[in-house]
Amino acid sequence: MSSPLAIIDSHCHLDFEDYAGELDAVIDRARAAGVIALVTIGSGRDLASARAAVALAERFPFIWATVGVHPHDVKTIEPSDWAALAALAAHPRVCGIGETGLDYHYDHSPRELQRSTLARFAEMARAARLPLVVHVREAHADCADILRAAGGGPGVIHCFTGGPAEARIYLDLGFHLSFSGIVTFKNAGPIREAARLVPPQRLLAETDAPFLAPMPLRGRRNEPGFIVHTIEMLAQIRGVSAAEVARATAENARALFCLDSSPKTV
């Protein structure tokens, strides 16, 4: 029996209630599947998610956290939250800012507020010397304009759902592209085309757990251990081995998020 792949899940939401009472078992299954590190995203409706993500990163040496506010929820940000987020960003287990971004599909927060908040988080990421974790849905033109005005990467377009044209725009801006279980779906042709053209050094893999379980597990609650199916699909798309994709995406996650560096000083 071959040894498991050594994989980094670059984007999951371990603080969500979906895992209540069984988080340790979920993490154990991920480790058994070959997940050697995880980035848990602290970006819920308020700062409780960011604080919970940091607490998890303090508890497990192979978990790191990001802090931010999802574009759905930017209408809830209070003026005092910005100082609290900046303080959390200085924590040595925080490796990124976000997820932040634009979502014009649901419009849960006003678009102008989403745009101004993304710009402010981009400034925070640059000041903290951390990569920006970006969510974008049906808003690629505006998102690219804001990221360009902010000076581009480093950062990642998480759960990339565009096609080759959008991929090239973000790559030109210095961003990594991360692919989730969506890339395994039958109707994901343009996403697979984009995954094929991403340079090896800019490719990341994620689960976005508890969302978006990959085929053949679609419809189930997702968890980090399921990332092996996404790795296998990326390998098939790119014509390389799963071990090569696992190695490249893990190396890229380490480099982008500085996962192996000593704690940062601010």
Side-chain angles (χ1 to χ4, degrees):
M1 181 177 178
S2 62
S3 60
L5 302 171
I7 304 167
I8 293 180
D9 184 353
S10 68
H11 191 113
C12 56
H13 297 271
L14 297 178
D15 68 292
F16 277 27
E17 285 296 316
D18 304 68
Y19 302 123
E22 57 176 313
L23 180 59
D24 285 357
V26 168
I27 291 173
D28 286 345
R29 287 195 291 271
R31 300 283 280 175
V35 178
I36 57 173
L38 307 97
V39 178
T40 188
I41 308 299
S43 64
R45 288 185 295 274
D46 53 36
L47 300 194
S49 180
R51 295 188 176 104
V54 172
L56 280 168
E58 290 176 331
R59 180 181 168 200
F60 296 96
F62 49 85
I63 294 177
W64 281 261
T66 71
V67 295
V69 178
H70 194 282
H72 288 341
D73 304 312
V74 295
K75 65 187 177 185
T76 69
I77 296 177
E78 300 290 342
S80 61
D81 289 343
W82 290 104
L85 283 163
L88 285 168
H91 192 285
R93 299 296 295 172
V94 169
C95 67
I97 299 297
E99 67 187 276
T100 178
L102 305 177
D103 194 310
Y104 291 176
H105 181 78
Y106 289 107
D107 282 328
H108 288 325
S109 288
R111 292 185 179 185
E112 181 53 42
L113 184 59
Q114 291 186 52
R115 290 190 288 266
S116 63
T117 303
L118 171 57
R120 185 159 181 178
F121 272 123
E123 292 175 4
M124 178 183 288
R126 192 163 296 276
R129 300 179 197 168
L130 292 172
L132 189 68
V133 180
V134 180
H135 169 110
V136 55
R137 187 170 184 186
E138 298 177 18
H140 289 293
D142 282 356
C143 187
D145 284 347
I146 292 167
L147 297 179
R148 189 177 295 110
V156 55
I157 308 301
H158 109 87
C159 191
F160 183 77
T161 54
E166 292 80 15
R168 292 186 180 96
I169 289 170
Y170 295 120
L171 291 169
D172 287 345
L173 287 170
F175 280 80
H176 288 59
L177 301 185
S178 181
F179 293 86
S180 70
I182 292 177
V183 77
T184 70
F185 296 176
K186 291 180 180 179
N187 62 348
I191 301 172
R192 285 193 281 271
E193 290 178 35
R196 189 177 294 114
L197 66 82
V198 177
Q201 66 273 23
R202 297 282 200 87
L203 184 69
L204 294 178
E206 66 172 89
T207 57
D208 202 19
F211 311 109
L212 305 175
M215 298 293 289
L217 304 170
R218 189 174 183 182
R220 291 177 55 179
R221 181 199 66 183
N222 201 4
E223 56 183 69
F226 296 171
I227 197 171
V228 293
H229 299 285
T230 300
I231 294 289
E232 289 167 355
M233 175 57 75
L234 289 170
Q236 179 182 329
I237 292 165
R238 296 170 67 86
V240 298
S241 69
E244 184 172 338
V245 171
R247 181 171 56 253
T249 53
E251 289 175 355
N252 296 340
R254 286 193 188 97
L256 178 64
F257 292 112
C258 298
L259 301 187
D260 293 332
S261 66
S262 58
K264 63 182 182 293
T265 57
V266 177

